[in-house]
Amino acid sequence: MAASANFADDLIAWHRTHGRHDLPWQTQPVDPYRVWLSEIMLQQTQVATVIPYFYRFLDRFPTLASLAQASEQQVLALWAGLGYYQRGRNLLRCAQVLVRDHGGQFPATAEALQMLPGIGRSTAAAIASTVFEERVAILDGNVQRVMTRLTCVDAPWGSPALTQALWPLAQERLPKASSDMPAYTQAIMDLGAMVCRARQPSCSQCPVQRHCRAYREDCVDAFPRPKIKKAIPTRQAYWAVLMNRDHVWLMQQPEKGIWPSLWVPWQLDLQHPPQDWEHVGKTRTAIISLRHQFTHYKLEIQAGCFAWSGDRPVGAPRSLTRWTWEKALALPAPSPVSRLLARLAHAAKESGAEPHRCSLP
Ligand code: SF4
């Protein structure tokens, strides 16, 4: 059987009755703005997580033109909690480039879309195939897993060798007719999310079982091959949360580095932690431990909470600013900071400046 024989037909036929047709970006006629927005949000993120963000975003920025006029802080505030903040920043840059250089229209080919900020090869293909019916293959994480099992590519998960091998295999399985591309692209994404899942794939329900080499050779569990594990280092961070019943002090991260432009508590450079907390003040009321995992390292954070009513402390960064709790909670902040602030805001209201009653996981 040729690799692609009837594969696309089987997949599209299954999708007609079993696929997802009511996602908020699946409008008729197709709206390129919605498709693009959803594709950026869906990078590294599950559909269920994306949907509320997608609605909030559309509510605030219903058109590409309205987004292009936004400030970075407005976009990041709506993005807060979705992670991978560079996506939010690139989203804004991309909208501005489209308005400035493309008359507010999306270019109609994957090749041209890839030239825009934040749009990689797979995202460009998803937009071009869904909106413009171009015959180009996507290869997001779910599709990589499906293709790996269909073909038994023997390369570690996450390796360049794997994606290099998979691109042509994905391309040769596309439907012949361009008009089938929107359905096919959604179908292969749905297959990865609903049937050929990472754990316990439903091979007995799979519409492309007869095309699947791993199934035929009874080795589904062996694919994808495991990732080559690298030891992930742990770094320590020390924060001072200056707060009282009404206010909390936060500083803005620089544009480069971790959490660029987001708001965080005062980050201390302690030589001899934790004894050095003393230079902040003697009114520390609690130390709260937090952990956050980045792609390349783990961050262990000790957040010291201080009852504070004065001005900006001597030696603190100039961006350390006093906010009411209400305003602080609306600032763009990374998820561990958002969680910390939500709990401390509650503790501050309940007990004045005594957050020691607050315990975080
Ligand atoms: Fe995935 Fe199983 Fe279908 Fe193969 S038969 S594509 S392993 S669900």
Side-chain angles (χ1 to χ4, degrees):
M1 189 191 307
S4 57
N6 300 322
F7 173 82
D9 292 345
D10 288 350
L11 190 56
I12 292 170
W14 166 80
H15 185 256
R16 236 172 260 130
T17 43
H18 295 93
R20 295 177 289 192
H21 298 275
D22 53 1
L23 298 171
W25 42 89
Q26 292 176 318
T27 54
Q28 283 305 330
V30 176
D31 179 351
Y33 176 59
R34 284 181 174 233
V35 172
W36 164 68
L37 184 57
S38 68
E39 286 301 330
I40 303 296
M41 287 186 166
L42 285 166
Q43 291 168 359
Q44 330 270 352
T45 314
Q46 307 239 338
V47 166
T49 308
V50 162
I51 287 176
Y53 282 89
F54 182 82
Y55 278 126
R56 274 200 294 275
F57 219 88
L58 266 195
D59 219 35
R60 179 69 184 78
F61 304 116
T63 61
L64 186 70
S66 61
L67 175 58
Q69 288 173 356
S71 71
E72 188 174 286
Q73 289 294 295
Q74 286 173 320
V75 171
L76 291 179
L78 283 174
W79 203 271
L82 257 187
Y84 302 98
Y85 292 91
Q86 196 56 30
R87 291 183 300 170
R89 219 167 271 115
N90 278 334
L91 195 80
L92 176 59
R93 283 179 49 220
C94 186
Q96 291 165 341
V97 170
L98 286 168
V99 167
R100 192 187 63 215
D101 300 341
H102 297 266
Q105 303 293 317
F106 285 85
T109 64
E111 198 182 351
L113 285 161
Q114 268 185 84
M115 308 300 285
L116 294 166
I119 301 187
R121 183 170 173 182
S122 184
T123 303
I127 300 167
S129 59
T130 304
V131 179
F132 305 111
E133 301 183 352
E134 187 180 357
R135 288 188 69 256
V136 275
I138 63 165
L139 202 56
D140 66 8
N142 277 344
V143 179
Q144 285 188 37
R145 185 174 62 251
V146 175
M147 288 294 157
T148 303
R149 287 171 175 162
L150 285 169
T151 57
C152 295
V153 173
D154 192 6
W157 184 247
S159 66
L162 180 66
T163 42
Q164 215 174 341
L166 291 180
W167 278 114
L169 298 172
Q171 188 69 24
E172 69 192 34
R173 281 167 175 74
L174 297 180
K176 294 277 174 292
S178 314
S179 55
D180 284 333
M181 280 309 299
Y184 176 84
T185 297
Q186 189 60 50
I188 191 102
M189 289 195 275
D190 288 358
L191 185 76
M194 299 161 67
V195 179
C196 194
R197 297 178 299 266
R199 290 200 193 98
Q200 298 182 327
S202 303
C203 297
S204 59
Q205 327 261 308
C206 179
V208 293
Q209 188 196 81
R210 70 191 180 109
H211 308 275
C212 180
R213 184 173 162 194
Y215 182 79
R216 218 165 34 242
E217 297 179 5
D218 196 19
C219 57
V220 170
D221 291 344
F223 291 93
R225 297 297 197 205
K227 202 174 181 156
I228 296 173
K229 284 204 174 124
K230 289 188 203 142
I232 297 182
T234 301
R235 295 184 193 168
Q236 307 293 327
Y238 300 93
W239 294 352
V241 187
L242 310 184
M243 55 182 283
N244 59 43
R245 189 181 180 82
D246 302 315
H247 297 101
V248 60
W249 291 74
L250 298 174
M251 57 176 269
Q252 193 173 27
Q253 289 284 82
E255 279 181 20
K256 294 216 164 28
I258 67 163
W259 297 323
S261 305
L262 301 185
W263 290 85
V264 297
W266 180 10
Q267 306 207 19
L268 303 173
D269 182 16
L270 298 188
Q271 300 302 318
H272 306 288
Q275 300 91 313
D276 275 7
W277 289 111
E278 299 307 324
H279 85 260
V280 175
K282 304 225 179 280
T283 49
R284 193 182 68 226
T285 52
I287 294 181
I288 294 168
S289 298
L290 303 162
R291 283 198 187 86
H292 189 71
Q293 172 106 38
F294 291 97
T295 321
H296 300 300
Y297 66 94
K298 291 178 197 159
L299 193 63
E300 284 184 357
I301 304 157
Q302 301 282 307
C305 302
F306 292 83
W308 193 268
S309 298
D311 293 330
R312 182 190 305 130
V314 176
R318 288 177 67 81
S319 74
L320 190 71
T321 308
R322 193 179 68 168
W323 299 92
T324 61
W325 282 105
E326 194 187 352
K327 287 199 170 146
L329 292 172
L331 288 171
S335 54
V337 175
S338 297
R339 279 187 293 129
L340 176 70
L341 291 180
R343 300 291 287 267
L344 291 179
H346 182 71
K349 277 214 166 53
E350 293 287 305
S351 56
E354 295 176 21
H356 57 276
R357 291 186 196 166
C358 174
S359 67
L360 287 175

